[in-house]
Amino acid sequence: MNDVAAAAGVALKTVSRVVNNEPGVNTATAERVQAAIDRLGYRRNDGARTLRQGRTSSIGLVIEDVADPFYSGLSRAVEDVALGHDYLVFTGSSGESPTRERDLVLAFCARRVDGLIIVPAGEDHEYLTPEVDAGIAAVFADRPPGAGPETDIVLCDNSSGSRAGVEHLIAHGHRRIAFLGDSPAIFTAQERLRGYRQALAAAGLPYEERLVAMGPGDQARVQADVERMLSSPEPPTALFTGNGRMTVATLRVFASLASFAPPGVRHGGGAEPMERPALVGFDDFELADLLKITVVAQDPVGLGRTAAELLFQRLSGDDGPPRRVELPTRLVDRGSGEVGPGS
Amino acid sequence: MNDVAAAAGVALKTVSRVVNNEPGVNTATAERVQAAIDRLGYRRNDGARTLRQGRTSSIGLVIEDVADPFYSGLSRAVEDVALGHDYLVFTGSSGESPTRERDLVLAFCARRVDGLIIVPAGEDHEYLTPEVDAGIAAVFADRPPGAGPETDIVLCDNSSGSRAGVEHLIAHGHRRIAFLGDSPAIFTAQERLRGYRQALAAAGLPYEERLVAMGPGDQARVQADVERMLSSPEPPTALFTGNGRMTVATLRVFASLASFAPPGVRHGGGAEPMERPALVGFDDFELADLLKITVVAQDPVGLGRTAAELLFQRLSGDDGPPRRVELPTRLVDRGSGEVGPGS
DNA sequence: TGACCGCTTGACAACGTCGTCACCGGCCCG
DNA sequence: CGGGCCGGTGACGACGTTGTCAAGCGGTCA
């Protein structure tokens, strides 16, 4: 900018005015400055600008994993809202590690992002208190934070969604319904389990420990749990899976159990030691339509958009009490809940 | 930092030394300073730091769409490499718009990112020349740039992969193979078409315009093209789809054409006006294994990792001639190429 | 004629950090 | 006893911007 000013024979401040389209610059002068800018290939240094102005026009987004379709949808929505406000987005994946979540958040804070959108991996968010006190806005998405500052929160209505999914199975005559969920440490897993229990209770069905398995979503674990349940004396006739990864893993288990009939096709005989159970999954996924899997659909885009919109309201001065938004889920019936007893 | 210095009764510079773990500070002094830092909840302003130091320890990543699994895999890989170097990542989706690509890149440049990884949407990258001259490193991934500065480039071996996929179909007896590709303006679409033609030529098969359809990957377009081809007098017995979205769209078309037999199951009669054609897709996708779709798998993670590694080599001083890396593809045979004439 | 106005322009400090250099006191060595 | 060295500390400017304030200038109005 110094060079531009020298080249155009004006003061620094005049160049600044031209660059920022501030009024009060003679047209001829402005043209001369613009010419110098073009000639020298000058571009404003936004780093210095933000230092001077005290806001960076950037936000930080911490999610579990960009490569997970659920979070990448959320991510894209956040990005779109941010770009609409001329904000840039730092993205980071925590990979479910509380340490990495914290490191990322603090790195973003050191960069003085104006706001944060966080899908928390950890339980303790006290580390955020000084940052929030320092004026950084924060919104939690998908899961509520642990102990820490009061912030806006955007969630899916996990328990109602889960309950609706399980009720759908019950309505089709299922009485022994298994629940496969994420690690109990994860909020959404707990909530979905809660919805499952509510649905059972409302229908007067017993809650059986042996039909509930929670843990990481890797194929081996799911395979073991599903096989164990299905080969037990009184196997479940339906499965409810607690997230998209579990649903897909379960489908792979089904595929690996060659004795299953294809979906919708029944075995000939009456005895069905290994008939393919009904399945309803929490969270929609690509190709679920082709595979005809009934799901409780969340709205990752809505989650991201809402979180970003709340954040920008805060950034534009709203300092009302913290809000907690719960987005509804939607049961998408594709038929996989119908197989089995009741159909 | 000023406040901390005052609170600890030392000079600014001493605080700076403590914060940066610089040697030459008396242990007692350091403790006093550290206490003041903790008490005041001070955190270094990395914005000011980068201004002073001339590098921002951040890179910009411009892709087509974070929500697309191919790019989100790439994105995650870039992020992991960057975090390994203590770099932060700005992410932006261009949505195939050259203007938005350019705006994003220039916004990142104004923020003085140290480097850029770009999946180009546009054809003209002259706008990058001043930035690269100014010292910003750039690497193009997945597609080569149009006119502009010489930079490192990381691609998939599109034509070979495509050729291998089509040869697989030919090897299974197919003679009329349709090609459904992305818009011809897109580099990868052109390359994959080239591979298709090479395979045909090598097998002595004619190239027929009527069997080639290129354009956007929306369901309606694909539906129209596939239906037109399949209902033509001499319909293709196999389809080769040019990217994951096309493959999925084509599967949906198959599902909508109720007259098709399920995969692997043949119609009873000899005449087969609408037998389900064989299908091989470029690009793997989740659940392709369950749907038993043969694909030419790319390696989005490898693409992202390689691009990031090249970038960091540049950032650490490597100024050798521009490099062009082509990553191999891999044919994953799941049986969907076998249906039809030869099987 | 002089006070005042609007328009244009510029000088200067400040944002928060770090690199450079200088300073101070104590100690060793000749 | 004097010079040099060293560990510890601080003053100051610079990075590239922008906000504040003031000044120059020509013209208008009382």
Side-chain angles (χ1 to χ4, degrees):
Chain A
M1 186 141 133
N2 245 321
D3 304 340
V4 175
V10 297
L12 209 52
K13 181 64 210 190
T14 302
V15 180
S16 170
R17 278 192 259 260
V18 172
V19 169
N20 295 298
N21 284 320
E22 286 175 37
V25 179
N26 185 300
T27 315
T29 317
E31 277 170 11
R32 201 149 37 91
V33 171
Q34 192 56 54
I37 288 177
D38 294 343
R39 183 150 36 88
L40 298 176
Y42 163 80
R43 188 154 345 262
R44 179 176 63 196
N45 183 329
D46 274 342
R49 167 172 233 244
T50 61
L51 173 60
R52 182 65 233 261
Q53 301 201 321
R55 13 170 256 122
T56 55
S57 296
S58 59
I59 64 175
L61 171 64
V62 180
I63 53 187
E64 198 221 310
D65 181 5
V66 235
D68 181 314
F70 180 81
Y71 294 109
S72 63
L74 186 155
S75 185
R76 176 66 199 262
V78 168
E79 194 191 290
D80 285 345
V81 174
L83 258 56
H85 288 79
D86 280 320
Y87 268 64
L88 260 30
V89 183
F90 278 116
T91 312
S93 301
S94 70
E96 292 291 4
S97 152
T99 315
R100 187 157 158 175
E101 172 207 317
R102 183 172 163 280
D103 290 349
L104 276 167
V105 168
L106 292 183
F108 292 161
C109 288
R111 287 302 219 296
R112 294 296 190 271
V113 293
D114 295 335
L116 289 163
I117 293 177
I118 306 174
V119 177
E123 293 279 276
D124 176 15
H125 294 87
E126 284 301 355
Y127 72 84
L128 255 183
T129 309
E131 317 299 333
V132 168
D133 289 347
I136 297 186
V139 175
F140 283 85
D142 191 44
R143 310 171 186 167
E150 296 270 300
T151 66
D152 292 339
I153 303 174
V154 188
L155 306 171
C156 279
D157 189 349
N158 289 288
S159 63
S160 303
S162 178
R163 178 171 175 166
V166 176
E167 281 173 346
H168 174 80
L169 287 167
I170 293 172
H172 284 92
H174 293 281
R175 292 294 171 267
R176 290 193 307 279
I177 303 170
F179 178 86
L180 277 106
D182 224 323
S183 300
I186 296 175
F187 170 81
T188 52
Q190 282 295 351
E191 285 295 293
R192 292 169 197 172
L193 176 63
R194 199 159 65 84
Y196 165 79
R197 298 188 71 152
Q198 285 175 350
L200 292 186
L205 295 174
Y207 172 76
E208 301 181 64
E209 290 275 1
R210 68 179 186 99
L211 294 182
V212 173
M214 299 182 83
D218 57 289
Q219 188 65 42
R221 202 275 297 181
V222 174
Q223 181 100 25
D225 281 330
V226 172
E227 287 185 359
R228 176 175 48 72
M229 289 184 189
L230 292 184
S231 59
S232 65
E234 288 199 305
T237 62
L239 301 179
F240 185 77
T241 44
N243 68 33
R245 282 191 303 274
M246 301 278 164
T247 312
V248 171
T250 301
L251 287 172
R252 294 216 166 89
V253 177
F254 286 179
S256 76
L257 298 177
S259 64
F260 281 168
V265 179
R266 312 287 300 281
H267 274 289
E272 65 258 286
M274 283 288 261
E275 171 152 328
R276 174 170 172 159
L279 174 68
V280 170
F282 200 103
D283 200 9
D284 205 358
F285 55 97
E286 184 162 52
L287 295 178
D289 57 336
L290 278 187
L291 291 166
K292 300 199 173 36
I293 306 300
T294 297
V295 298
V296 177
Q298 305 185 74
D299 181 7
V301 171
L303 216 50
R305 185 169 21 78
T306 309
E309 282 167 356
L310 283 179
L311 184 65
F312 280 101
Q313 283 176 31
R314 295 301 183 180
L315 291 182
S316 51
D318 176 356
D319 58 352
R323 283 158 299 188
R324 182 190 182 102
V325 179
E326 290 206 357
L327 266 43
T329 56
R330 192 169 46 91
L331 184 78
V332 183
D333 187 349
R334 300 195 179 105
S336 69
E338 274 83 341
V339 270
S343 55
Chain B
M1 186 138 132
N2 246 319
D3 304 339
V4 176
V10 296
L12 208 53
K13 182 63 211 191
T14 301
V15 180
S16 170
R17 278 192 260 259
V18 173
V19 169
N20 296 297
N21 284 318
E22 287 175 36
V25 180
N26 185 300
T27 315
T29 316
E31 278 170 11
R32 200 149 37 91
V33 171
Q34 191 56 53
I37 288 177
D38 294 343
R39 183 149 35 88
L40 297 176
Y42 164 80
R43 191 158 337 267
R44 179 177 64 197
N45 183 329
D46 275 342
R49 169 172 232 246
T50 60
L51 172 61
R52 182 64 234 265
Q53 301 202 320
R55 10 168 259 124
T56 56
S57 295
S58 59
I59 63 175
L61 172 64
V62 180
I63 54 188
E64 198 221 309
D65 181 5
V66 235
D68 181 314
F70 179 80
Y71 294 110
S72 63
L74 186 155
S75 186
R76 176 66 200 260
V78 168
E79 196 190 288
D80 285 344
V81 175
L83 259 55
H85 287 80
D86 280 320
Y87 267 64
L88 261 31
V89 184
F90 278 116
T91 312
S93 300
S94 69
E96 292 291 4
S97 151
T99 315
R100 186 156 159 176
E101 172 207 317
R102 184 172 163 280
D103 290 348
L104 276 167
V105 168
L106 292 182
F108 292 162
C109 288
R111 286 302 216 298
R112 294 297 190 273
V113 293
D114 295 334
L116 290 163
I117 293 177
I118 306 173
V119 177
E123 294 278 276
D124 176 15
H125 293 88
E126 285 300 355
Y127 72 84
L128 256 184
T129 309
E131 316 298 334
V132 168
D133 289 347
I136 296 185
V139 175
F140 283 85
D142 191 45
R143 310 169 186 167
E150 296 269 301
T151 67
D152 292 338
I153 303 172
V154 188
L155 306 171
C156 279
D157 189 350
N158 289 288
S159 63
S160 303
S162 177
R163 178 170 175 168
V166 176
E167 281 173 347
H168 174 81
L169 287 168
I170 294 172
H172 284 91
H174 293 280
R175 292 293 171 269
R176 289 193 309 277
I177 303 170
F179 179 87
L180 276 108
D182 224 325
S183 299
I186 296 176
F187 170 80
T188 52
Q190 282 295 351
E191 285 295 293
R192 292 169 197 172
L193 176 63
R194 200 159 64 84
Y196 165 80
R197 299 188 70 152
Q198 285 175 350
L200 293 185
L205 296 174
Y207 173 76
E208 300 181 66
E209 290 275 0
R210 70 180 183 98
L211 294 182
V212 172
M214 298 180 84
D218 58 288
Q219 190 65 41
R221 202 276 295 181
V222 174
Q223 181 100 25
D225 281 330
V226 172
E227 287 184 359
R228 176 175 46 75
M229 288 184 190
L230 292 184
S231 59
S232 64
E234 288 199 305
T237 61
L239 301 180
F240 184 77
T241 45
N243 69 33
R245 282 190 303 274
M246 301 279 164
T247 312
V248 171
T250 301
L251 287 172
R252 294 216 166 88
V253 177
F254 286 0
S256 76
L257 298 178
S259 64
F260 280 170
V265 179
R266 312 288 298 280
H267 273 289
E272 66 257 284
M274 282 289 260
E275 170 151 332
R276 174 171 171 158
L279 174 66
V280 170
F282 200 103
D283 200 8
D284 205 359
F285 55 96
E286 186 163 51
L287 295 178
D289 58 336
L290 277 188
L291 291 166
K292 298 199 173 38
I293 305 301
T294 297
V295 299
V296 177
Q298 305 185 75
D299 181 7
V301 171
L303 215 51
R305 187 170 19 80
T306 308
E309 283 167 356
L310 283 178
L311 183 65
F312 280 102
Q313 283 176 30
R314 295 301 183 182
L315 291 182
S316 50
D318 176 357
D319 59 350
R323 283 159 298 188
R324 182 190 182 101
V325 179
E326 290 206 355
L327 266 43
T329 57
R330 191 169 48 90
L331 184 78
V332 183
D333 187 348
R334 300 194 179 106
S336 69
E338 275 84 341
V339 271
S343 53

